[in-house]
Amino acid sequence: MDEERINPGHSGTRIVLRTIGPLIALVGLGLMVFGLVDFFRAFGGSGPPRYFWCIFLGMPLLAVGGILTKLAYLGKIFRYMAGETAPPMKDTFNYMAEGTREGVKSMASALGQGLREGGFVAGSQTTVRCHKCNALVAETAKFCRWCGQAMGKSKPCPQCAEVNDPDAKFCDNCGYKYG
Ligand SMILES: [Zn+2]
Ligand SMILES: [Zn+2]
């Protein structure tokens, strides 16, 4: 353990604190539970609560035990925050990032592709608007996937030969009114 190497003099004290701290907290908790159980049992009719004081003894014990435990682990937390554990963590992170980068990249592009084809990304060159329901449809689609409207311009103008939308009422080019 690098702990002893860094702080040899304190490790003994810390081990004692780590053992005694939780132990005191545990005893305190036990006393509190014991006192509470006795207190509630007294309500059930088995006479006045005789061990109610256990709660008041257990409470400070739990607090002291908690503080001791906290102190025991404080050094560990400080060292952790100081970044002594950072290098191996960084390596792990880099390793993971290296492995996932390609995956994320291909996933993102696949997602983008899917969004474009699904008509969820506006202004994309691979989609056109359905002239009936205004939904974005893949440029290569023959029919609108949302309303079934035939896609592409298929209505030639008899006046100027401009090909208009299949549901056009007027010619885009000359304004000819379809009967
Ligand atoms: Zn449509
Ligand atoms: Zn026309």
Side-chain angles (χ1 to χ4, degrees), residues 157 160 162 171 173-174 176:
C157 171
C160 72
E162 167 83 15
C171 172
N173 185 48
C174 70
Y176 168 83

Side-chain angles (χ1 to χ4, degrees), residues 130-135 137 144-149 151:
C130 166
H131 22 263
K132 193 179 178 189
C133 72
N134 210 31
V137 184
C144 171
R145 61 191 296 164
W146 307 105
C147 70
Q149 168 71 41
M151 297 300 293

Side-chain angles (χ1 to χ4, degrees), residues 51-72:
Y51 301 102
F52 193 56
W53 51 269
C54 284
I55 298 172
F56 298 101
L57 184 69
M59 248 190 283
L61 274 176
L62 185 64
V64 168
I67 289 165
L68 282 176
T69 312
K70 217 180 274 178
L71 278 174

Side-chain angles (χ1 to χ4, degrees), residues 37-144:
V37 166
D38 183 64
F39 180 72
F40 283 114
R41 204 184 277 155
F43 272 121
S46 69
R50 272 159 300 169
Y51 301 102
F52 193 56
W53 51 269
C54 284
I55 298 172
F56 298 101
L57 184 69
M59 248 190 283
L61 274 176
L62 185 64
V64 168
I67 289 165
L68 282 176
T69 312
K70 217 180 274 178
L71 278 174
Y73 286 96
L74 209 59
K76 198 175 187 171
I77 294 163
F78 273 145
R79 278 202 304 283
Y80 178 79
M81 281 165 71
E84 280 183 38
T85 50
M89 274 197 61
K90 210 190 247 173
D91 284 348
T92 312
F93 181 76
N94 282 342
Y95 174 76
M96 281 170 67
E98 202 65 50
T100 48
R101 196 174 294 152
E102 282 307 307
V104 167
K105 211 187 277 175
S106 59
M107 215 166 74
S109 73
L111 189 69
Q113 182 85 13
L115 284 174
R116 275 194 299 278
E117 280 175 6
F120 295 107
V121 181
S124 165
Q125 288 184 337
T126 57
T127 56
V128 289
R129 286 216 174 264
C130 166
H131 22 263
K132 193 179 178 189
C133 72
N134 210 31
L136 279 164
V137 184
E139 203 175 25
T140 50
K142 288 187 175 68
F143 298 94
C144 171

